[in-house]
Amino acid sequence: MPTDTDAYRPRNDPPRVLVLSSSPRRNGNSRVLAESLAEGAGEAGSAVELVHLPEVVSEGLRDCRECRGPNGECTIDDGYRDLFLDKALAADALVYATPLWWYGLSGHLKNFLDRMFCYISEGCPEAERVMSQLVGKRAALVISAEESNFSARLAVVHQMQETCRYLHHTLVGIVVGTGNTRGEVRDDPTEPLVWARELGQRLFLIRTTDYQLDSDRAAAVWGGPERPPPGHWR
Ligand SMILES: Cc1cc2nc3c(=O)[nH]c(=O)nc-3n(C[C@H](O)[C@H](O)[C@H](O)COP(=O)(O)O)c2cc1C
């Protein structure tokens, strides 16, 4: 009976947070949001690493039948293997930072997600171990976009929500900032940098709820300090 994630405990001490910054603009808007979130997570005591995804993952998914080596391993020669197997699997939380591109997520982040397939599909000798380490993480999402239109971001939110559901990850928060020129998201009066930082601080405290008719729950949503507040959508 799904209730909430009050009992969530990270595997590592301190908890590990991997931030995947997926815009090629190093000083761009989604990167600024990602850095704020990373700062907040560090303030809360997490061990944080921020990766500039376009520099590490240069290739998209191919036909696995053509590029698996004789032992079944993916032979695409870029930084994906180390990033995914050493850093992403070891993390307690994955943070995705993306600009809105054509009402979807960046191609670089899409490549990161697509390439997981090489390591979890039947042809991969490590698939079972990979899957057991992949499940049970927290996730957060930050998005920057030029348009302020709320629905423009919904495809990204939906894709990441479903991806997290599939992976047994809990998407604990989303922050959206509006801006177009590099770093302009700092001028957004809704203060997305402040919210991103706060999301980072509370990454492992946020209680997410997903009730069913018969779920046990308190009538009041906003309890005392012993009951952390629910999800974070800004
Ligand atoms: C290829 C491309 C497609 C884009 N598509 C959209 C879009 O559909 N809607 C939108 O609001 N902004 C769109 N933008 C603008 C970016 O989302 C916006 O400038 C964002 O803040 C860039 O983030 P970054 O600095 O992290 O790259 C697009 C930009 C590029 C380069």
Side-chain angles (χ1 to χ4, degrees), residues 71-115:
N71 56 0
E73 285 195 356
C74 176
T75 60
I76 301 177
D77 188 19
D78 62 7
Y80 190 86
R81 184 180 172 81
D82 291 347
L83 173 65
F84 181 62
L85 293 183
D86 297 344
K87 297 184 178 179
L89 291 188
D92 296 290
L94 296 176
V95 175
Y96 304 99
T98 183
L100 190 68
W101 279 3
W102 290 101
Y103 307 104
L105 40 78
S106 78
H108 303 278
L109 181 53
K110 184 67 167 47
N111 281 344
F112 175 83
L113 299 174
D114 292 343
R115 293 268 302 275

Side-chain angles (χ1 to χ4, degrees), residues 7-214:
Y8 182 78
R9 295 282 175 277
R11 289 177 202 168
N12 300 292
D13 184 22
R16 292 190 203 170
V17 177
L18 179 65
V19 182
L20 300 169
S21 181
S22 75
S23 170
R25 299 208 290 186
R26 279 191 158 275
N27 51 355
N29 293 311
S30 53
R31 172 71 181 244
V32 168
L33 293 169
E35 283 172 358
S36 292
L37 194 151
E39 251 175 58
E43 285 161 4
S46 293
V48 187
E49 182 169 6
L50 190 150
V51 169
H52 187 66
L53 209 46
E55 209 164 68
V56 179
V57 181
S58 54
E59 302 284 328
L61 181 69
R62 301 185 203 148
D63 180 345
C64 290
R65 288 189 184 183
E66 283 165 20
C67 49
R68 277 202 197 285
N71 56 0
E73 285 195 356
C74 176
T75 60
I76 301 177
D77 188 19
D78 62 7
Y80 190 86
R81 184 180 172 81
D82 291 347
L83 173 65
F84 181 62
L85 293 183
D86 297 344
K87 297 184 178 179
L89 291 188
D92 296 290
L94 296 176
V95 175
Y96 304 99
T98 183
L100 190 68
W101 279 3
W102 290 101
Y103 307 104
L105 40 78
S106 78
H108 303 278
L109 181 53
K110 184 67 167 47
N111 281 344
F112 175 83
L113 299 174
D114 292 343
R115 293 268 302 275
M116 271 188 219
F117 182 77
C118 307
Y119 297 88
I120 58 176
S121 66
E122 242 178 72
C124 174
E126 299 164 284
E128 209 165 303
R129 174 185 71 83
V130 168
M131 285 194 279
S132 71
Q133 288 181 264
L134 184 56
V135 296
K137 301 182 189 299
R138 302 214 125 191
L141 173 66
V142 296
I143 309 170
S144 61
E146 178 183 4
E147 297 170 66
S148 60
N149 167 14
F150 185 76
S151 69
R153 284 101 160 143
L154 289 183
V156 176
V157 171
H158 187 66
Q159 181 167 7
M160 293 314 300
Q161 177 72 58
E162 290 304 301
T163 297
C164 288
R165 182 192 53 72
Y166 181 76
L167 295 175
H168 293 285
H169 291 182
T170 307
L171 183 58
V172 297
I174 299 175
V175 173
V176 173
T178 304
N180 198 31
T181 59
R182 287 160 207 258
E184 193 189 7
V185 77
R186 293 189 182 92
D187 300 331
D188 181 339
T190 67
E191 300 194 314
L193 272 64
V194 173
W195 294 116
R197 187 180 193 131
E198 209 232 339
L199 176 56
Q201 288 167 344
R202 297 179 47 231
L203 211 45
F204 296 104
L205 298 175
I206 293 168
R207 177 170 56 94
T208 63
T209 52
D210 182 10
Y211 294 137
Q212 291 182 326
L213 183 65
D214 50 357

